[in-house]
Amino acid sequence: MLLPRLTYVGVISLLFFGLGQVLIRKQSSDFYQSSLKEQVGDLTSYFKYKNSVLYGELMDSLTTEYDTIDILNIINLSNQLNMDAASIAAIRDHAFMQGIDSVDVYVYYLVMTANAMHVKVTDVDYIILKESSRDKTAVNSKSNASGLKQFVTSTAAEYGLTVDSIRQMGYKQQFELIIAYWQRVSKTYNTNLGNVADLYLATFQPKWLILDGNAALSQYAYNQNYTLDTNLDGKLTKAEFLARLKRGHAKYLETLKLNYKSNKKLNFVKK
């Protein structure tokens, strides 16, 4: 009689296990749609979360090189650096729903980069989003520019790299390279890159940092970026670029705000 009883218990256990897996998957989907603040809350709820199956799923999603980075690391870092936690949460939400690789690793080094440059996290994220859609392996089919910041061949060579090698880098290496590039531009043009406009000018056309609004792209550069020509007059000036940037950045911030409040998937339009 013992064997049938064990079998009966086993069947019941399997049924409960199966139901539990369904509930866990549902909870996992709901969980990842919530904000960073809602996911973690206080440390008590965090450690309950850390011991759950969901924590294991999150850690499995990270690359082995950086498998110690998780939500708590991001929270501790943002608190330590006095960064805007709500913005970081909104960025993480959008990046996760976008489906980027190892979202917590991306956000962690994004925060580190913003701190190194003394700018807002949203300033850096907006540029990365527009340049590469946060894809560290992105490559431009026309110019072969690669990586998060879209380094071109000549710029990569200045650092002893190739665009192929940049695409093979992880988030940490690419963000360190971005910091080095921005700091070099800042020193070269003797100007502080203190906001999203300065950072994007340094990224897109560094010499515009010291030129007036009438400065325009060369014909070759225009041919690579003609889609940015808002008034379709056959040229792209600094003033036109900055006006487009201002509109795009405002839309980005509003989208993050809405996304953080509603947790609905809203898409950005890549340039």
Side-chain angles (χ1 to χ4, degrees), residues 35-70:
S35 70
L36 177 60
K37 183 177 181 180
E38 293 168 337
Q39 287 175 20
V40 179
D42 56 23
L43 289 180
T44 301
S45 63
Y46 169 77
F47 284 114
K48 288 181 180 177
Y49 153 71
K50 186 170 183 178
N51 292 326
S52 71
V53 175
L54 297 179
Y55 180 78
E57 291 181 357
L58 173 63
M59 297 307 291
D60 287 342
S61 72
L62 301 181
T63 60
T64 55
E65 185 178 2
Y66 307 120
D67 62 2
T68 59
I69 294 177
D70 58 22

Side-chain angles (χ1 to χ4, degrees), residues 225-240:
N225 298 277
Y226 66 90
T227 56
L228 302 180
D229 183 6
T230 306
N231 58 12
L232 303 177
D233 62 351
K235 64 179 181 179
L236 180 64
T237 65
K238 174 183 175 179
E240 188 176 357

Side-chain angles (χ1 to χ4, degrees), residues 137-260:
T137 65
V139 56
N140 186 297
S141 59
K142 295 180 179 179
S143 65
N144 207 33
S146 297
L148 293 172
K149 195 204 75 67
Q150 293 290 277
F151 282 94
V152 296
T153 301
S154 58
T155 305
E158 293 173 3
Y159 293 91
L161 301 168
T162 66
V163 290
D164 292 334
S165 66
I166 289 176
R167 289 197 302 273
Q168 295 171 11
M169 291 178 174
Y171 290 122
K172 180 177 184 294
Q173 290 175 303
Q174 288 207 30
F175 274 119
E176 287 175 345
L177 181 60
I178 291 170
I179 292 171
Y181 171 81
W182 278 339
Q183 289 180 339
R184 190 187 71 172
V185 170
S186 177
K187 183 177 181 179
T188 299
Y189 292 94
N190 192 29
T191 184
N192 177 43
L193 307 180
N195 54 53
V196 66
D198 292 338
L199 288 174
Y200 217 154
L201 286 176
T203 301
F204 181 73
Q205 194 72 5
K207 65 182 181 180
W208 277 359
L209 286 165
I210 57 174
L211 298 178
D212 63 30
N214 293 319
L217 289 182
S218 67
Q219 189 60 50
Y220 174 79
Y222 176 84
N223 291 340
Q224 299 290 324
N225 298 277
Y226 66 90
T227 56
L228 302 180
D229 183 6
T230 306
N231 58 12
L232 303 177
D233 62 351
K235 64 179 181 179
L236 180 64
T237 65
K238 174 183 175 179
E240 188 176 357
F241 177 82
L242 288 177
R244 182 187 177 97
L245 168 62
K246 184 177 181 180
R247 293 192 302 270
H249 188 242
K251 180 180 178 181
Y252 158 81
L253 292 177
E254 184 63 23
T255 301
L256 282 187
K257 181 179 178 181
L258 293 173
N259 186 48
Y260 182 60

Side-chain angles (χ1 to χ4, degrees), residues 4-177:
R5 179 174 298 180
L6 289 175
T7 302
Y8 177 78
V9 172
V11 170
I12 296 299
S13 298
L14 286 174
L15 288 174
F16 275 106
F17 177 79
L19 178 60
Q21 291 299 302
V22 172
L23 292 175
I24 286 174
R25 289 180 183 275
K26 175 64 168 61
Q27 291 171 352
S28 177
S29 176
D30 294 343
F31 179 88
Y32 281 124
Q33 298 300 319
S34 63
S35 70
L36 177 60
K37 183 177 181 180
E38 293 168 337
Q39 287 175 20
V40 179
D42 56 23
L43 289 180
T44 301
S45 63
Y46 169 77
F47 284 114
K48 288 181 180 177
Y49 153 71
K50 186 170 183 178
N51 292 326
S52 71
V53 175
L54 297 179
Y55 180 78
E57 291 181 357
L58 173 63
M59 297 307 291
D60 287 342
S61 72
L62 301 181
T63 60
T64 55
E65 185 178 2
Y66 307 120
D67 62 2
T68 59
I69 294 177
D70 58 22
I71 294 174
L72 185 59
N73 293 125
I74 297 171
I75 292 177
N76 287 340
L77 182 64
S78 62
N79 289 337
Q80 178 184 349
L81 302 178
N82 196 30
M83 292 287 189
D84 180 9
S87 295
I88 296 170
I91 290 170
R92 186 190 181 279
D93 275 354
H94 188 270
F96 175 80
M97 288 187 288
Q98 182 188 1
I100 73 163
D101 178 46
S102 304
V103 63
D104 289 297
V105 180
Y106 170 80
V107 174
Y108 184 85
Y109 288 109
L110 179 74
V111 172
M112 293 284 283
T113 301
N115 179 66
M117 297 305 302
H118 306 291
V119 295
K120 297 177 181 178
V121 180
T122 50
D123 291 346
V124 180
D125 183 60
Y126 176 72
I127 294 171
I128 300 302
L129 181 64
K130 296 298 290 184
E131 287 295 296
S132 63
S133 293
R134 303 190 183 107
D135 180 2
K136 62 182 183 291
T137 65
V139 56
N140 186 297
S141 59
K142 295 180 179 179
S143 65
N144 207 33
S146 297
L148 293 172
K149 195 204 75 67
Q150 293 290 277
F151 282 94
V152 296
T153 301
S154 58
T155 305
E158 293 173 3
Y159 293 91
L161 301 168
T162 66
V163 290
D164 292 334
S165 66
I166 289 176
R167 289 197 302 273
Q168 295 171 11
M169 291 178 174
Y171 290 122
K172 180 177 184 294
Q173 290 175 303
Q174 288 207 30
F175 274 119
E176 287 175 345
L177 181 60

